[in-house]
Amino acid sequence: MSTTTAGDASTEMEEQGLTGSSGVNQGEEMKEDPDKSLLAQCLTPEQQIIPELVEAMRSNTPQIQFDAAKKIHRSMQLLGRPAEIGARVVINSGLLPTIISSLSSEDVDLVSESTLILVNVSAGTSDQTSAIVDGGGIPKLIAVFRTAPDAVKVRALTILGNIVADSGRLREIVIREGGLEPALEVLGDPERYPQKFFDTAAWTVERATGPDENGRILSNMGRPVLPILLKFIQLNSNDNTEAMSCAVKALRQVGSNQEGVNTIINSQMTSRLVQLCVTGNQGLQEDALRILSRFTAGRKENVQAALEDGILDALQHCIGIRIQVGTACWAAGNLARGTVSQVTALVNSPLISLIVGVAFDDTISLASRQEAAKALSFAARVASSFPQLLEPLAEARCIEALSEMLSLDDGRVGRFVLHGIKFFTTTEWSGRKLAIGRLKACDGIRRLRDVRLKAWARQDVSEMIAQGLLRTHFPEFSKYPRV
């Protein structure tokens, strides 16, 4: 579980009355460790809060409660990480209900210290985090967010975020009780809140929209969350922040179905996502590209809108810096199956040369190279009906790249590769003889001969295509070897 502790959420590390004293013992200078002294004053040998502090926390006098809460919080800090150590001390001492109840106090300082304690408890084990929920903490934390000073509001957000991140069960309880509303409120009105709110709010929403420990995603999150995420991403110009990364990741998670894709496209977000692909950090680029790639698999008008907003630039940039190469090639393959104007835009762009480079690059994953080969084959298929498009493909060394992919002995992509080669060499176009010469020069004959003998080629039409190419263009090499 990814959680935040009070040491992360606040810099309020100075505590009143916690310093020790130094003195001289029998002529030898001795300094007492103030931290050990405080722990000895606050904890029993059984690692529980001393009865005096427990009673002080249950006092009806806010100042007494505040002083006790301050010492308890400091003791939790001194116990260190993991956070469950300090959380265990508080829970085993029976103080958690009292601390949760303190959130409703009119004393701002007491509420502040109580949230610091609860941040650490919420970062503990799942059972410890659940104890906050079981103790009625969610509505009280929402109320704290509505009324407390900014520093305390952020802590309330952090606690709610830790609860959401703990498990699918707790996430559903938080959402049902309205515990996600503070985070959505922050992202939905970014001009109202300081920058320090955004990271926590966006992280909370990202965890709420993502898969739980069993890989399950809540299917009803899109409609309430999508408009808020879109507004935040559009209005926030600071790309390289944790908040932006979390917001875009959440957008990818809730916008995965066709309704979500249409909503994102209709919000005029494409150009912003293209910008994030180019200027963002790596995680941001990956999520933005994965969103953009979905635009290429839908309606043709959506594909056209994505092209007009610069999706080719995003694909080109990501392939160039080797980020989500397979996704980018898959999106290019979808474009290659679009309208003639869309395929023309792809073929005449620098992207084709980069895809060819992927097919050649044996340091790139096989899955990514497969997507590259399919994209080139799809483009060649459309170009076979519009021969003027075959020339730029050939000049980009598509034939050589497809031939190279034949050597991988990969039946999952071999059929696409063979069809791609066939489009170049059998279509009547001005460069047909040159295409055949290119295939011969890049060891294509040997590879075609080898393909015929592969088990995968004999399971479909691949053997027949390979033999047909040999018989038509290189008849002297078309005979099968003797067994």
Side-chain angles (χ1 to χ4, degrees), residues 127-273:
D127 287 342
Q128 291 167 346
T129 307
S130 296
I132 299 176
V133 177
D134 297 339
I138 293 176
K140 292 183 182 296
L141 289 164
I142 296 171
V144 168
F145 177 83
R146 302 281 181 230
T147 59
D150 283 355
V152 185
K153 284 179 185 284
V154 172
R155 286 186 218 127
L157 273 178
T158 300
I159 299 165
L160 290 168
N162 283 346
I163 297 171
V164 165
D166 181 83
S167 66
R169 182 184 72 85
L170 293 185
R171 175 176 68 178
E172 291 187 20
I173 294 174
V174 171
I175 293 172
R176 184 170 64 246
E177 295 189 14
L180 192 60
E181 292 176 8
L184 293 175
E185 182 178 310
V186 170
L187 299 182
D189 193 4
E191 296 178 353
R192 177 181 170 188
Y193 291 94
Q195 181 68 37
K196 62 183 178 181
F197 279 79
F198 299 152
D199 287 351
T200 304
W203 172 74
T204 300
V205 174
E206 181 254 304
R207 295 310 300 261
T209 56
D212 64 13
E213 65 276 14
N214 297 316
R216 190 169 61 93
I217 294 178
L218 296 179
S219 59
N220 60 345
M221 293 295 293
R223 289 186 178 180
V225 173
L226 263 176
I228 292 171
L229 291 172
L230 291 168
K231 180 180 179 181
F232 177 78
I233 295 168
Q234 284 280 33
L235 293 180
N236 195 328
S237 59
N238 194 349
D239 295 348
N240 289 303
T241 62
E242 184 68 20
M244 184 60 73
S245 294
C246 288
V248 174
K249 185 174 182 179
L251 182 66
R252 172 178 63 79
Q253 291 169 165
V254 298
S256 58
N257 57 26
Q258 192 57 52
E259 181 183 0
V261 170
N262 292 339
T263 300
I264 297 171
I265 291 174
N266 293 336
S267 68
Q268 309 298 314
M269 271 289 291
T270 308
S271 58
R272 179 74 174 110
L273 291 169

Side-chain angles (χ1 to χ4, degrees), residues 86 95 114 123 158 219 326 356 458:
L95 271 178
S114 297
T158 300
S219 59
V356 167
R458 294 181 175 180

Side-chain angles (χ1 to χ4, degrees), residues 430-450:
S430 60
R432 180 167 173 262
K433 289 185 178 180
L434 288 176
I436 296 170
R438 283 176 174 270
L439 180 61
K440 182 178 181 180
C442 67
D443 204 18
I445 296 174
R446 179 185 62 81
R447 288 167 178 164
L448 289 172
R449 286 172 58 85
D450 290 345

Side-chain angles (χ1 to χ4, degrees), residues 416-427:
F416 293 102
V417 170
L418 288 167
H419 277 294
I421 293 173
K422 183 179 178 181
F423 293 134
F424 279 104
T425 58
T426 61
T427 302

